[in-house]
Amino acid sequence: MIDFDKIPSPCFVLEEGLLRRNLEILDSVQKETGAQILCALKGFAMYSTFPMVKEYLPTCTASSLNEARLCFEEFGEKAHLCAPVYLEHEFDELTKYTSHITFNSLGQWDRFKQSARNAGLSCALRINPEYSEVETDLYNPCMPGSRLGITANKLDNQLPEGIEGLHFHALCEDSAETLQNTLKAVEEKFGKYLHQAKWLNMGGGHHITRKDYNIELLIELIKNISDKYDLNVILEPGEAVGWQTGYLVSSVQDIFENDGVQIAMLDVSVAAHMPDCLEMPYKPKVLCASDPVKGKPTYRFGGMTCLSGDFIGDYSFDQPLSIGDKIIFDDMIHYTMVKTTTFNGVGLPAIGIWTEDNMFKLIRKFGFDSYKDRLS
Ligand SMILES: Cc1ncc(COP(=O)(O)O)c(C=O)c1O
């Protein structure tokens, strides 16, 4: 059990035991189906944990030159790459860190096919099944006019020569039942191409490590599609790797009242350190706190930047808060560290690990250089 008194504030802290639990679940799907599950770096790129991730997952999926290089240098494997657009001046370097590459348009394929094939990469097209159950447009790759993926009407009868794979990403925090519906649309629109491909990457957004996820159905779907079309199946979740593996530890710095609202100012920023809470938006769980309860001490948490919307709330506690009290935001490992900014010059939270031996290991602290490095 993690001892939060031992964690400095502010700090992202991952519990190794929880990460291993997720990896074991993902690996059980690999073992049952023969599919490969890759770690999507855009969601989870805490490379100090890669030695453990490597025990279970074969490699990572990257969406940029930097992510591909991180995979190559820190994971020790070539990445699968899927980016909305590739840049001419980066392409040769990209191929050094990559084994599989997915093109988002026929134009990008035409432009880079020679270099990709010369470098021996296995090439794929990203398809857009025009079906998604994602309700928030910000996270919906299949919204009308989407720039992500090729729609079926743009393809000839045959896949272009040299294309070995197909890739779709149309899910976000979704169930196996949603994958089943999505696969129906993929088969309806792209069935004849599935017969021509060697591999199918079903993207991310599979919430496999969530408690109520229907793993049996996922296994059945993977087996069916891979048998029917004689395909190797690949999944590339990010969130499911880091899902509920740790916390953002913060502490109360000031408390005051405005318009009857008790405000507790923290040493973190919602905008800079947990931006998805504002983008999605969603209200994260805080340990030892509940949604507002009449009669209980209740606070709105304020972030450190001057952005008016840099707050999250309201939460009730059994006892009034005091300056210095730790406030622990749950499930803050995926899509946080990869998205932090130093807006307003705020410092980045440290990064640490609560080990399987019940010890705290501080991995990294950030200082002035992390802010200055992005400016000139
Ligand atoms: C192409 C692609 N693959 C994988 C992922 C990872 O998705 P998730 O972290 O939701 O599993 C994303 C997320 O946006 C994506 O765009």
Side-chain angles (χ1 to χ4, degrees), residues 106 192 222 240 259 298 343 351:
L106 291 167
K192 65 177 171 221
I222 296 175
D259 269 344
T298 299
F343 178 49
I351 293 178

Side-chain angles (χ1 to χ4, degrees), residues 268-272 278 301-312 343:
V268 290
S269 158
V270 186
L278 299 182
F301 292 123
M304 293 165 78
T305 76
C306 64
L307 179 76
S308 310
D310 190 1
F311 68 85
I312 204 110
F343 178 49

Side-chain angles (χ1 to χ4, degrees), residues 204-222:
H206 313 272
H207 234 187
I208 305 169
T209 49
R210 197 180 61 204
K211 273 200 183 74
D212 59 352
Y213 188 90
N214 188 346
I215 293 183
E216 282 69 34
L217 178 59
L218 173 67
I219 290 173
E220 190 186 314
L221 295 173
I222 296 175

Side-chain angles (χ1 to χ4, degrees), residues 42 54 112 120 135 157 225 298 328 335 340 343 345 357 376:
K42 71 188 82 184
K54 260 195 97 145
F112 293 111
E135 279 166 9
N157 264 337
I225 200 105
T298 299
I328 295 148
Y335 290 104
T340 50
F343 178 49
D357 312 327
S376 69

Side-chain angles (χ1 to χ4, degrees), residues 40 42-43 82 126 167 169 172-173 203-206 236-240 335:
K42 71 188 82 184
C82 176
R126 176 167 178 170
H167 180 298
H169 170 78
C172 177
E173 299 191 338
H206 313 272
E236 47 178 32
E239 181 154 338
Y335 290 104

Side-chain angles (χ1 to χ4, degrees), residues 59-341:
T59 186
C60 305
T61 188
S63 43
S64 60
L65 172 61
N66 287 337
E67 284 187 356
R69 183 169 165 186
L70 189 80
C71 174
F72 190 71
E73 291 184 359
E74 296 294 333
F75 204 91
E77 297 289 342
K78 290 190 172 179
H80 288 221
L81 195 62
C82 176
V85 74
Y86 299 112
L87 308 181
E88 185 88 48
H89 70 275
E90 290 186 351
F91 202 81
D92 280 348
E93 190 183 351
L94 259 184
T95 59
K96 288 199 281 184
Y97 311 130
T98 304
S99 61
H100 293 61
I101 186 165
T102 297
F103 293 93
N104 185 56
S105 74
L106 291 167
Q108 283 262 299
W109 161 245
D110 273 340
R111 192 163 169 205
F112 293 111
K113 65 182 170 198
Q114 208 51 53
S115 313
R117 290 172 75 183
N118 289 349
L121 307 190
S122 181
C123 298
L125 295 179
R126 176 167 178 170
I127 53 175
N128 181 336
E130 298 175 84
Y131 177 90
S132 171
E133 297 181 15
V134 178
E135 279 166 9
T136 312
D137 273 354
L138 188 66
Y139 297 102
N140 183 359
C142 299
M143 65 180 166
S146 168
R147 73 195 201 291
L148 299 169
I150 302 161
T151 48
N153 60 352
K154 298 281 184 317
L155 292 172
D156 295 334
N157 264 337
Q158 288 290 317
L159 285 176
E161 201 210 321
I163 289 294
E164 297 185 337
L166 291 171
H167 180 298
F168 72 87
H169 170 78
L171 280 72
C172 177
E173 299 191 338
D174 274 319
S175 63
E177 287 74 10
T178 298
L179 174 63
Q180 186 169 35
N181 299 337
T182 310
L183 276 172
K184 268 192 207 133
V186 169
E187 286 196 73
E188 261 167 45
K189 296 199 160 84
F190 296 94
K192 65 177 171 221
Y193 306 110
L194 291 172
H195 283 294
Q196 299 166 32
K198 290 186 184 159
W199 53 271
L200 173 68
N201 186 324
M202 308 205 294
H206 313 272
H207 234 187
I208 305 169
T209 49
R210 197 180 61 204
K211 273 200 183 74
D212 59 352
Y213 188 90
N214 188 346
I215 293 183
E216 282 69 34
L217 178 59
L218 173 67
I219 290 173
E220 190 186 314
L221 295 173
I222 296 175
K223 281 183 173 164
N224 283 347
I225 200 105
S226 95
D227 288 350
K228 182 164 170 191
Y229 298 98
D230 194 18
L231 283 166
N232 292 327
V233 170
I234 301 165
L235 273 73
E236 47 178 32
E239 181 154 338
V241 177
W243 174 246
Q244 290 189 334
T245 55
Y247 317 89
L248 175 57
V249 176
S250 66
S251 57
V252 177
Q253 304 296 314
D254 193 12
I255 299 175
F256 54 86
E257 180 270 345
N258 186 23
D259 269 344
V261 178
Q262 285 291 322
I263 295 162
M265 297 294 290
L266 303 178
D267 56 356
V268 290
S269 158
V270 186
H273 304 143
M274 16 181 178
D276 273 2
C277 295
L278 299 182
E279 281 178 12
M280 187 81 172
Y282 78 97
K283 186 180 168 196
K285 203 174 141 206
V286 169
L287 267 49
C288 304
S290 65
D291 279 335
V293 176
K294 241 192 162 149
K296 279 195 171 186
T298 299
Y299 301 88
R300 184 167 298 172
F301 292 123
M304 293 165 78
T305 76
C306 64
L307 179 76
S308 310
D310 190 1
F311 68 85
I312 204 110
D314 300 338
Y315 296 89
S316 287
F317 290 79
D318 289 340
Q319 302 296 330
L321 292 177
S322 308
I323 288 178
D325 283 351
K326 290 244 165 90
I327 302 298
I328 295 148
F329 292 95
D330 193 13
D331 195 22
M332 280 294 157
I333 299 299
H334 55 88
Y335 290 104
T336 50
M337 282 170 251
V338 289
K339 281 193 165 189
T340 50
T341 70

